[in-house]
């Protein structure tokens, strides 16, 4: 039920860029095409992963409700950019990485493939859905505004998410807007053709200096005994490039943290996020961040589900009791370490596309 979408088709679009469509098939259901934000990739819509038999990603949620989800890695995708870089596309080809080409080509080409497949599968009607997120929403809006999708408009059901992305411009954005740094980089014959927020990736020196020297308060800070994790470093760099449109406390718990997923049974006392849970036999400890209930009831002592927690030390053992605040709350069925999922979400963005979005 919760299998990931599979790759259906790829093709070369304007500029020799390889675009890729994925699908979680639900033949006969209304197809819905999902467009991620720039510098991200289609996995935006496949996370967080399911636990305890519950759909948690948008892809799984749509599929459960009878829709036929399709996911496009368009030319704003970090995966597409990595592939283009590996093939050594010419500087001229990199000029095709902007919102104009995405709205004129990527969206219409993908919708054509979706519509043809839906017709072969015997879809009940010609309706098509589109969900555009962030700059993916900008691509959809621009395509509609410039008439690219005129012939499809009667069939379309459109939802745009976080198109008005920044309700408050961060301080560094206000400072950068007064200095045409990006325009200078774009006009330089020696400029890198992409900006990569992943830790360790080099930035143009002017941009790197701005990042290092701006006094920004809303950043992850390294503790004395604990350096920043990869996810925290990436979060800082992404937030600098794009701003911080979300409160981290509202995001799913496995995005920024390495966690341990404790599948439990015979749950009889519900713990509270923030509590420390402990393996009675192993002595392992972890700080609880989310309780996902599956079947049964706590009051009946037969609750099952998953506890997501940040490891403190040790390894929980299958079959041992889990303790919290001096009381035994459940039995551990299995323990799984899960790496933070943010690093799988973001990558390089072509400089031209970044300037266009900016």
């Amino acid at each position: 039920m919760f299998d990931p979408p599979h790759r259906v088709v790829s093709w070369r679009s304007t500029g020799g860029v390889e675009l890729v469509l994925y699908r979680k098939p639900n033949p006969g259901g209304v197809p819905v095409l999902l467009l991620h934000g720039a510098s991200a990739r289609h996995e935006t819509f496949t996370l967080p992963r399911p636990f305890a038999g519950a759909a948690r990603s948008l892809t799984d949620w749509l599929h459960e409700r009878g829709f036929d989800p399709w996911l496009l890695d368009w030319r704003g995708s970090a995966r597409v950019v990595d592939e283009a870089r590996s093939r050594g596309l010419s500087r001229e080809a990199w000029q095709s990485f902007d919102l104009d080409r995405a709205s004129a080509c990527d969206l219409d080409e993908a919708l054509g493939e979706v519509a043809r497949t839906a017709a072969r599968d015997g879809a009940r009607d010609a309706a098509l859905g589109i969900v555009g997120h962030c700059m993916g929403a900008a691509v959809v809006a621009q395509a509609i505004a410039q008439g690219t999708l005129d012939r499809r408009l009667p069939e379309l059901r459109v939802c745009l998410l976080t198109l008005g992305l920044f309700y408050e411009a961060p301080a560094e954005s206000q400072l950068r807007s007064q200095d045409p740094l990006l325009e200078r980089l774009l006009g330089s014959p020696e400029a890198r053709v992409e900006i990569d927020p992943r830790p360790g990736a080099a930035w143009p020196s002017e941009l790197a200096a701005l990042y290092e020297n701006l006094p920004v308060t809303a950043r992850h800070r390294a503790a004395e005994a604990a350096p920043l994790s990869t996810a925290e470093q990436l979060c800082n760099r992404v937030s600098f490039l794009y701003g911080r449109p979300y409160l981290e406390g509202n995001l799913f718990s496995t995005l920024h943290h390495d966690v341990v997923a404790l599948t439990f049974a015979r749950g009889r006392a519900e713990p509270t996020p923030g509590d420390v849970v402990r393996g009675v036999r192993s002595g392992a400890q972890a700080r609880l961040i989310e309780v996902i209930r599956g079947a049964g009831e706590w009051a009946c002592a037969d609750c099952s589900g998953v506890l997501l927690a940040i490891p403190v030390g040790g390894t929980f053992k299958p079959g041992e009791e889990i303790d919290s605040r001096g009381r035994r709350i459940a039995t551990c069925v299995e323990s799984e370490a899960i790496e933070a999922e943010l690093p799988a979400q973001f990558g390089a963005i072509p400089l031209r596309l970044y300037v266009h979005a900016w």
Side-chain angles (χ1 to χ4, degrees), residues 291-315:
V291 179
I292 304 169
R293 187 174 69 83
E297 299 292 339
W298 295 101
C300 297
D302 64 354
C303 189
S304 62
V306 176
L307 304 177
L308 297 180
I310 299 175
V312 174
T315 302

Side-chain angles (χ1 to χ4, degrees), residues 11 23 27 37 42 62 78 90 103 139 142 148 156 212 243 245 265 294 323 326 343 350 352:
W11 68 96
R23 184 189 186 195
H42 81 270
L62 288 168
S90 68
S103 59
V139 170
Q142 183 166 326
T148 303
L156 293 181
E212 295 295 337
D323 177 278
R352 179 179 174 83

Side-chain angles (χ1 to χ4, degrees), residues 11 16 26 41 104 127 142 149-150 175 195 197 201 227 229 271 292 296 298 305 317 336-337 350 352 354:
W11 68 96
N26 211 343
R41 56 192 77 193
Q142 183 166 326
L149 303 181
D150 277 359
L175 289 169
I195 298 175
S229 68
I292 304 169
W298 295 101
K317 304 296 183 183
E336 179 186 4
R352 179 179 174 83
Y354 181 53

Side-chain angles (χ1 to χ4, degrees), residues 1-350:
M1 180 178 181
F2 294 119
D3 293 333
H6 66 267
R7 181 174 175 141
V8 175
V9 64
S10 63
W11 68 96
R12 300 284 182 207
S13 188
T14 302
V17 178
E18 183 182 55
L19 309 180
V20 188
L21 261 176
Y22 300 79
R23 184 189 186 195
K24 189 177 177 78
N26 211 343
V30 174
V32 179
L33 179 65
L34 307 177
L35 266 71
H36 58 76
S39 183
R41 56 192 77 193
H42 81 270
E43 283 89 350
T44 292
F45 302 111
T46 66
L47 297 174
R49 56 180 283 182
F51 287 108
R56 288 160 59 83
S57 73
L58 181 57
T59 298
D60 288 338
W61 188 91
L62 288 168
H63 191 268
E64 267 197 344
R65 284 154 180 79
F67 293 96
D68 184 20
W70 293 72
L71 300 82
L72 174 64
D73 271 318
W74 57 283
R75 73 187 60 224
S77 163
R79 177 175 287 106
V80 171
V81 173
D82 284 346
E83 191 273 342
R85 183 169 47 190
S86 71
R87 291 196 295 121
L89 285 186
S90 68
R91 188 175 181 85
E92 290 70 28
W94 283 92
Q95 300 305 307
S96 72
F97 282 88
D98 60 28
L99 297 177
D100 291 328
R101 271 73 166 196
S103 59
C105 304
D106 301 12
L107 183 55
D108 192 48
E109 291 165 1
L111 284 173
E113 181 64 36
V114 171
R116 287 189 293 273
T117 302
R120 289 196 300 267
D121 287 348
R124 292 184 291 272
D125 54 47
L128 292 170
I130 304 178
V131 175
H133 172 66
C134 195
M135 294 314 298
V139 170
V140 178
Q142 183 166 326
I144 294 172
Q146 66 191 22
T148 303
L149 303 181
D150 277 359
R151 72 184 186 281
R152 302 189 189 278
L153 287 181
E155 306 166 359
L156 293 181
R157 310 292 183 266
V158 177
C159 178
L160 306 180
L161 306 178
T162 65
L163 177 56
L165 183 58
F166 306 115
Y167 52 85
E168 181 179 353
E172 62 266 36
S173 294
Q174 297 177 40
L175 289 169
R176 279 185 295 175
S177 68
Q178 300 173 38
D179 178 8
L181 165 62
L182 298 179
E183 288 78 1
R184 290 201 304 274
L185 293 176
L186 193 62
S188 169
E190 302 304 320
R192 296 182 62 88
V193 291
E194 75 280 332
I195 298 175
D196 194 335
R198 288 171 286 199
W203 284 358
S205 58
E206 282 189 273
L207 189 64
L210 193 63
Y211 173 71
E212 295 295 337
N213 295 316
L214 273 180
V216 180
T217 56
R219 280 189 191 166
H220 295 281
R221 304 286 179 181
E224 287 186 9
L228 287 179
S229 68
T230 299
E232 289 170 331
Q233 293 178 59
L234 177 64
C235 182
N236 283 349
R237 288 162 69 97
V238 166
S239 299
F240 170 78
L241 291 176
Y242 305 112
R244 296 171 71 97
Y246 307 108
L247 293 174
E248 284 191 23
N250 292 339
L251 302 176
F252 62 85
S253 55
T254 52
L255 190 64
H256 283 84
H257 304 287
D258 294 339
V259 303
V260 57
L262 301 174
T263 302
F264 70 87
R266 295 192 289 278
R268 49 199 176 272
E270 182 175 6
T272 302
D275 289 352
V276 172
V277 294
R278 182 179 66 89
V280 172
R281 177 158 49 89
S282 65
Q285 296 186 52
R287 180 168 57 83
L288 186 65
I289 52 177
E290 187 175 355
V291 179
I292 304 169
R293 187 174 69 83
E297 299 292 339
W298 295 101
C300 297
D302 64 354
C303 189
S304 62
V306 176
L307 304 177
L308 297 180
I310 299 175
V312 174
T315 302
F316 289 83
K317 304 296 183 183
E320 72 172 333
E321 292 294 294
I322 302 173
D323 177 278
S324 177
R325 296 192 178 187
R327 56 180 180 172
R328 298 191 176 188
I329 61 172
T331 301
C332 178
V333 176
E334 64 176 343
S335 170
E336 179 186 4
I338 301 175
E339 293 184 352
E341 293 170 317
L342 185 67
Q345 289 289 291
F346 286 98
I349 183 171

